[in-house]
Amino acid sequence: MSVVTPLIVPSASLLVIGEVPNADEDRSGIVFSGKTGEILDKMLASVNLSRAEISLAPALPWRPPGGRHLNPAEIVPARAELQALIDQIRPRQIVTMGSTPLQLVQAESTPLTSVRGKWMDVDILGRTYALLPMRHPLQILTSSRARQDFWRDLLTLVDSRK
């Protein structure tokens, strides 16, 4: 098990937060690596964005054994750690990709399906950030609906950056 470190671009106004590290990320220590990274890079390029202009972070820097979901005892410290990272980076906009980062960024538990693709304000350690919840990039492999959702959400993101 390795530590997956965030990629912080000092001048970036956008922070993209992924799920808990998958096996590729765990092996490499690089956020959004392997198939997930390939998909993300292609999707970003399709809207003229790249890793060089955004900050990237995993929902947490370690992979739970077997890739399992976080247990309730792990959620509170994981939320505190992620929120401290956000407070350090202080992006203008945050995109969460998947349900775990959404759960850790928000104070209340909201299903991704009910808020996906809609900008909202979220308070983190006394600061308000614009948050756009999205599907995880690997989900586009599961269905045409997931691909359509991801594409619409990317366009929502790009429209807000104009």
Side-chain angles (χ1 to χ4, degrees), residues 27-152:
R27 275 190 296 277
S28 69
I30 300 170
V31 65
F32 288 105
S33 60
K35 187 70 171 169
T36 302
E38 290 173 25
I39 293 169
L40 179 66
D41 290 344
K42 287 178 184 176
M43 297 302 281
L44 290 174
S46 73
V47 292
N48 296 317
L49 286 173
S50 73
R51 288 180 188 243
E53 55 194 314
I54 63 175
S55 293
L56 301 169
L60 53 139
W62 51 274
R63 183 174 191 231
R68 66 167 169 73
H69 292 286
L70 293 177
N71 66 45
E74 294 168 325
I75 290 175
V76 172
R79 177 177 288 133
E81 189 171 347
L82 182 58
Q83 289 184 348
L85 177 66
I86 293 167
D87 189 54
Q88 174 193 343
I89 297 171
R90 295 194 178 163
R92 198 169 43 88
Q93 297 174 312
I94 299 169
V95 170
T96 54
M97 292 191 164
S99 57
T100 304
L102 175 62
Q103 179 184 22
L104 296 179
V105 168
Q106 285 191 308
E108 71 277 351
S109 182
T110 307
L112 178 61
T113 55
S114 67
V115 294
R116 192 217 97 249
K118 300 172 191 159
W119 283 105
M120 64 179 77
D121 287 336
V122 62
D123 180 72
I124 298 172
L125 302 176
R127 293 189 185 281
T128 302
Y129 297 91
L131 171 67
L132 179 65
M134 292 178 62
R135 289 178 178 261
H136 189 269
L138 284 180
Q139 289 181 321
I140 71 166
L141 302 176
T142 62
S143 72
S144 61
R145 171 70 186 252
R147 285 186 292 280
Q148 291 168 357
D149 288 348
F150 200 90
W151 181 248
R152 271 194 295 272

